Amino acid sequence: MSAAARALACIALLLSLTGCRGSRPVDAGPAFLQSLALPSVGPTRHDVRKLQGKVVLVSFFATWCFPCLAEMPTLEALQRDYGAQGLQVVSVGMDLEGTKVLQPFAEHYAPRYPVLVASEWMIEGRSPFGPIKGLPTTVLLDRRGRAVAGWQGVEGHGDVAKAIEKLLKQD
C-alpha cells in the first residue's frame, strides 16, 4: 500500500473511530482513556489511572482471529522496547464470550501488557472508539489521551515503532 493510500486509510479510520463529530475528530482526550476502564484478565493487572500521561497503544483483538495472534509478538516487543519510556500497550478482547474465553487465553499466553474484556457497549460500538469494523484494529493515543493514529489489520513493527517514537518525544 502506498504512503498516500495508507494516510487516507488512517484518516478514514480515525474519522470512523470518533464518529465524525465536527472539525476536531481526534480530540476525545480523556474519553478514550476512560473507555479503557475495563476488567482485566491474566497475570498483568490494569489500572486505567496509570494510563494518564502515557502513550497508549490499544489493540482490539479476538482469540479466534489468526492475524490478531500473529500480531502478539509485535505488541510484546513494543511494550518491552518502549515501556520504560512511557508506552503502555493494552489489548481489548472483543470475544462475545468475554471472560469465559479471554481468561484462559491470557493465562496461557501471559502477555506483558494488560488484556481487557470489552464491555457489551464497546462491542456494539458505543464508545469513543466507535464500531470496530475489523480485527485486529489498533489505535495509538498520545500522552493527552487523544487518538492520533489507527490501523486496521496487522501493521509492521517498524511503522508502529516510528509513530510511537515520535509521540514519546513530545510533551
Side-chain angles (χ1 to χ4, degrees):
M1 178 182 281
S2 73
R6 224 176 244 217
L8 287 173
C10 182
I11 290 168
L13 175 63
L14 286 173
L15 289 174
S16 72
L17 290 174
T18 58
C20 302
R21 286 177 256 146
S23 62
R24 295 175 20 182
V26 295
D27 196 14
F32 285 116
L33 291 179
Q34 287 308 310
S35 71
L36 298 174
L38 299 166
S40 63
V41 294
T44 305
R45 302 324 294 150
H46 170 66
D47 181 351
V48 71
R49 294 171 294 185
K50 292 184 178 181
L51 298 179
Q52 198 75 312
K54 292 190 176 195
V55 172
V56 181
L57 184 73
V58 184
S59 173
F60 294 92
F61 82 105
T63 59
W64 48 262
C65 168
F66 181 74
C68 301
L69 302 179
E71 187 176 58
M72 286 181 67
T74 297
L75 299 176
E76 283 279 347
L78 291 168
Q79 182 63 51
R80 180 192 66 233
D81 296 346
Y82 298 105
Q85 297 173 48
L87 172 72
Q88 181 59 62
V89 174
V90 177
S91 283
V92 179
M94 302 292 280
D95 292 82
L96 297 177
E97 300 88 357
T99 303
K100 180 179 174 182
V101 296
L102 288 167
Q103 180 68 42
F105 174 87
E107 291 293 336
H108 176 76
Y109 287 101
R112 292 181 210 161
Y113 51 85
V115 176
L116 309 181
V117 180
S119 63
E120 184 178 322
W121 59 269
M122 185 172 277
I123 291 171
E124 293 174 356
R126 292 182 283 151
S127 76
F129 296 102
I132 304 302
K133 297 180 182 189
L135 297 173
T137 292
T138 306
V139 179
L140 187 58
L141 307 177
D142 68 8
R143 292 184 186 272
R144 292 186 287 199
R146 298 175 303 174
V148 295
W151 300 270
Q152 192 170 18
V154 177
E155 189 65 27
H157 180 276
D159 292 335
V160 178
K162 285 179 193 174
I164 289 168
E165 289 170 5
K166 181 178 177 183
L167 289 176
L168 288 172
K169 291 176 185 174
Q170 297 174 355
D171 289 331

